[in-house]
Every structure is written in C-alpha cells, then in structure tokens.
Amino acid sequence: LLNILPESIANRLKKGESPIADDFDSSTVLFADIAGFTEISSSITATDVVLHLNSIFSLFDGLIKKHSLEKIKTIGDCYMLVGGIPNPDKGHAEAVIEMAKDMLKTIEDVNKKTNQFLKIRIGISSGSVSAGVIGRDKFIYDLWGDTVNVASRMESFGENDKIHISKETYTLLKEKYKFIKREVLNIPGKGDMQTYFLDN
C-alpha cells in the first residue's frame, strides 16, 4: 500500500475507513509533460520507451521525497504531483516551485548524458481540491476540482522548459520569486486568464 498511497491514507484504509475522501482549502498541483516524447516513442521499441520514461520518472520520484510532496500518478509521459496534502503544509506553493526548477535541471542533465534534446512543459496552480481513494482492487489516490483543471491547462498552454503558473499561485509567491507576466490567455472552459512564467 505504501508504494501506491500516502502513508496516512494507507493507515486509514487498513483500519477499514471507507470511503476515504477529504477536502483541502489550500494546495498546489503540478503537471509536467515531456514534450516530443510521443514522436520519440514511435521510433523505438516498447522496452526502450518504458526504460527511458522509468529512468526519468524515477529521478522525479527522488525529488518528490526531497521536497516532501506527493506524487499522484503518471499519465503516459505526463507526471502529476501535489503539495499541501494529505498533510497540510503552508509552504506547499514554494515547495512545488522548487520541485519544478529541479525537474527542469533533471531533464537538462538527462539530455547531457544521453545526447538527446528532450523538453519539459510544466504547469502549476494553487487552491482548494478534493482528494480520495478510488478503486477496490487497484487503488489510486486522486484529486479533483478546479485547481486540478487549471494546473492541467497551465501545462497545456505553457512553453517548453518554462514553469507556467496561474494567478492563484502567483499571488502566493510574488514576494519570493520573479515572474514574467504573460498576455491574457483565453483558456477553453475558463475564459480569459492572466498567467505568469517563472523568471528562471
């Protein structure tokens, strides 16, 4: 269970609690997509795809522990994580930004070692989420809510090797980091949104 669930959630599950569902007022969600990996995967074997993705995501897993964050899942070549849950942490936004910076550095190091030109696109948003355990035989701890949707949009509408954040995350971190204000984006399902790039 500890390989697939946060420890506190696994303990609740072992005690027979069901369903496990919680609301969190403050968290920071990150989506990171390895840009161009779909094209690369079409020209190599399935084994090489798995080995390559696993090597990168394993490095990200190590960063998760370093920054005391929670990995939620991988979706193809996309990696999703959250800060501030299931154990509340007032510094969740800063921890996620530092994680994102380390992810950029990791891809840079991987490229140097493998002579490749992988790029990563990172999107982040902060706010309230709902979280809980889904499944009976194959458990997953997952998140829902507008914050998750906005973080996903930040990734989709971001740029390679940049950290793209929502106004909610900017509000939490504007005194600690430098940001570049983007032109207002029209985000499907959300309308016009003011977003920012980390000045890194």
Side-chain angles (χ1 to χ4, degrees):
L1 285 177
L2 292 179
N3 283 330
I4 56 176
L5 298 174
E7 184 175 1
S8 61
I9 301 300
N11 290 335
R12 289 165 63 184
L13 192 66
K14 286 190 291 183
K15 291 176 181 177
E17 183 177 342
S18 180
I20 293 178
D22 302 292
D23 290 319
F24 296 90
D25 292 332
S26 186
S27 68
T28 297
V29 179
L30 177 152
F31 283 88
D33 185 79
I34 301 176
F37 195 83
T38 300
E39 289 77 10
I40 294 173
S41 64
S42 65
S43 62
I44 59 179
T45 67
T47 300
D48 286 337
V49 170
V50 171
L51 289 173
H52 200 30
L53 265 184
N54 187 58
S55 65
I56 294 171
F57 286 168
S58 293
L59 293 171
F60 290 171
D61 290 347
L63 296 176
I64 285 277
K65 294 180 181 179
K66 172 185 173 182
H67 295 288
S68 300
L69 300 171
E70 197 64 49
K71 175 183 178 181
I72 299 301
K73 58 187 172 184
T74 59
I75 311 152
D77 54 12
C78 185
Y79 192 99
M80 178 187 179
L81 64 89
V82 66
I85 74 168
N87 302 314
D89 174 13
K90 291 182 179 179
H92 55 78
E94 185 173 356
V96 171
I97 283 286
E98 291 300 320
M99 170 81 187
K101 289 166 61 178
D102 279 352
M103 292 171 90
L104 290 179
K105 180 66 166 56
T106 295
I107 293 297
E108 185 180 314
D109 291 342
V110 167
N111 284 336
K112 288 179 181 178
K113 292 177 182 177
T114 61
N115 292 317
Q116 290 185 308
F117 301 94
L118 295 175
K119 303 289 185 181
I120 189 170
R121 203 168 50 239
I122 297 176
I124 297 172
S125 188
S126 301
S128 61
V129 297
S130 298
V133 176
I134 295 294
R136 183 173 178 179
D137 299 315
K138 295 184 178 180
F139 302 109
I140 182 172
Y141 184 68
D142 211 349
L143 308 180
W144 301 269
D146 193 55
T147 300
V148 178
N149 296 333
V150 172
S152 178
R153 296 289 195 279
M154 293 301 98
E155 180 271 306
S156 299
F157 287 83
E159 294 181 6
N160 290 345
D161 292 340
K162 291 187 177 180
I163 298 169
H164 188 209
I165 70 167
S166 68
K167 188 174 182 178
E168 289 75 15
T169 303
Y170 169 78
T171 300
L172 294 175
L173 297 176
K174 62 184 178 180
E175 303 300 330
K176 296 183 179 180
Y177 296 88
K178 291 183 179 180
F179 295 97
I180 300 169
K181 189 176 183 178
R182 298 191 73 182
E183 291 185 6
V184 173
L185 297 176
N186 186 266
I187 306 293
K190 295 298 298 178
D192 290 343
M193 294 186 71
Q194 180 62 66
T195 66
Y196 303 80
F197 284 128
L198 178 70
D199 186 0
N200 62 326

